[in-house]
Amino acid sequence: MPPNLTKPNSGFTSKPSPLCTFVSLIILLIIGFYTLHYPPGNPKKVLLFQQIFLSSASNSTIASYLRSLTSHPHLAGTKPSLETIHYVKTHFQNLGLETHTVPFQTLLSYPVHASVSMHFGNSTVLNLPLNEMGIPSYPSSGLIQPYHAFSPSGTVHGKVVFANHGREDDYRTLGLMGVNVNGCIVIIRKGGSLSRGAVVKIAEKKGALGVLMYAEGDVSKGSFGSGVERGTVMEGVGDPLTPGWGADEDGERLKLEDKKVLERFPGIPSLPLPFESAQLILDSLEGPLAPQEWRDSGRSNLSHVGSGLVMVNFTYQGEKKLATIYNVVAVIRGLEEPDRYVLMGNHRDAWTYGAVDPNSGTATLLDIARRYALLMRKGWNPRRTIIFCSWDAEEFGMIGSTEWVEQNLVNLGAKAVAYLNVDCAVQGPGFFAGATPQLDNLIFEVTKKVQDQDSEVVATIYEKWKTMNGNNIQRLSGVDSDFAPFLQHAGVPSVDIYYGRVAGVWGLLGLHLADDPVLPLDYLSYAKQLQEYKDAFSRVLDGNISLTPLAASIQEFTSAAKQASEETKKLMEQEFTNDLLALKIRALNDRLMLAERGFLDTDGIKGREWFKHLIYGPRSNYESGLEFFPGISDAMAESKNMTQKDGHAAIKHEIWRVARAIQRAAAALKGELV
């Protein structure tokens, strides 16, 4: 007999080898470990911890956090921002949480000089104020002068045309009136769902020399005083010098003149204006009367669209430079499943003081951490790991969160359960939610548990929300906040919420996702939403283009969702005495967690390849009212400039890509190889 091998014995008479004994012991330990908390103690105790969380709310505590956070401006990459970083980090540490900062060296953009002047026919010149009213000196106040980050430097001189919100439809309206913006400066009022970058890009395509932009109505974001809305005009998210990888200090970087970098920035300068300065320009316009709809909307006193005899000169000089930004990360380790992560995030940086955006959300995040720490002192430990994330440089284009996601992409893909994002926690009354569909029912359940503190009568947030907008949950197709890299690049189920004066919803969502034995992810809602999306496309697509591949994949996904739902019910109905039940629940949870990743495609969305999610993501077809299947939407728009044969082929290809993505998600949900 060959050496190192032993003669096999009868299973009834042989003694187990030390290795077999060791393996068996390990399996029993694993099973025992996971059954310790299935179910997580007494259900009454779970409810007790939720009640303690809700009852420990303190508006005065949140107010004190907010005062500290907003005592001075704290733009990312500037010295004053370091104080805010220290405040957040120290808060987490004082609660006893594992806390660390994650630095990245990224390209940021700051203003050096800006001016706008009106030149009249009698040779008089009027220099327009660019700053907020009541702020006489930017250096003494610590504020950075109003600007658009990543705008190119330049001086332009020309006549002005009012282009409403700067949409393609607005330029068509001007064209029908005989007004051409080529060689002119366009003045835009912010709104119409377009990002600043998209507004400038469209204006550049129309031949405009530059863009002046002003805000009407709610100007809380990026503004102060009378309201000058700062913001970024860079396309995409993340550090432009490190597309696809984390911006480590000593890591690889593209050159600033690299084509891939330059494509992220507009080619014409732009500036934000105070409303009062914008009105002076509007008053000088001549030419055709503005459409009645334009005149009736907003608070501008608008008569004509231009141009006129008055010329406008504007100069912007800025600098792009490397700056160090810091994310602050705090961790509560899960007791049973420490390798499963529930992430709760908010960005910390602000254009000015950030009283609403973002630091009302930051103060709420700090308070949730305080309340979770209180639960821990009373004996609570989460089943899964909770990670608090305080992002930097969101205002420049979700840079802090994007770099962190890129750096941790593999671990997030394998371990992230969900990402819960809040920008503004106190932006007027009412509740507003955006989410991926499998989280809808959890949001409904949680909002039924939390009282609406703004209501004059006793009512839950769910009830108040229902009366205001019918419990509508928006989808996360835009690139609006830090959920974008988690969902649209990493495929992590995500929530983005805005609400008035309550931390309860955000905190309870985190508790359920961290503690529920079976993850509260309901893919039947997703299946229903996908069917509605398919039906919407069937109404606008050419009848010669078949949606059969899409319909078949949705049917397959629906079947998988029903199977997962039935399995969840059966597992939750069983007595928690079977040792293998814990492992069955773990396996089901992995499928529920990973299904969202199936919607990712390695090639990404055509023309915006960093965005991998084929159901929700940004589209280049700004006019489309369909905020889903961005690849199909873009192909439909591009087909107008192709032959019918080529156009149909492009649309069919995108339909197949989406169908394959849905099939991948269905396979992940079933947990089976095909």
Side-chain angles (χ1 to χ4, degrees), residues 597-636:
R597 319 286 199 266
F599 297 124
L600 302 179
D601 186 281
T602 54
D603 292 334
I605 301 173
K606 182 181 177 183
R608 297 172 308 289
E609 287 76 13
W610 186 90
F611 295 95
K612 306 295 185 185
H613 206 288
L614 297 191
I615 312 300
Y616 300 116
R619 61 196 189 282
S620 60
N621 178 21
Y622 302 122
E623 295 187 280
S624 173
L626 304 175
E627 296 186 350
F628 42 85
F629 301 164
I632 301 176
S633 177
D634 288 349
M636 291 172 60

Side-chain angles (χ1 to χ4, degrees), residues 37 44 59 77 149 208 222-223 285 309 320 408 439 551 628 671:
H37 231 61
K44 292 182 179 179
N59 288 336
S223 66
L285 298 182
L309 297 177
K320 300 181 181 74
N408 294 282
L439 286 158
F628 42 85

Side-chain angles (χ1 to χ4, degrees), residues 83-100:
E83 297 179 29
T84 313
I85 295 166
H86 177 73
Y87 179 81
V88 171
K89 181 181 179 182
T90 301
H91 175 82
F92 287 141
Q93 289 174 328
N94 290 342
L95 294 173
L97 306 185
E98 300 176 32
T99 306
H100 63 282

Side-chain angles (χ1 to χ4, degrees), residues 650-661:
I651 296 171
K652 289 176 182 177
H653 175 61
E654 291 298 331
I655 290 172
W656 274 108
R657 290 184 70 206
V658 173
R660 288 191 290 270

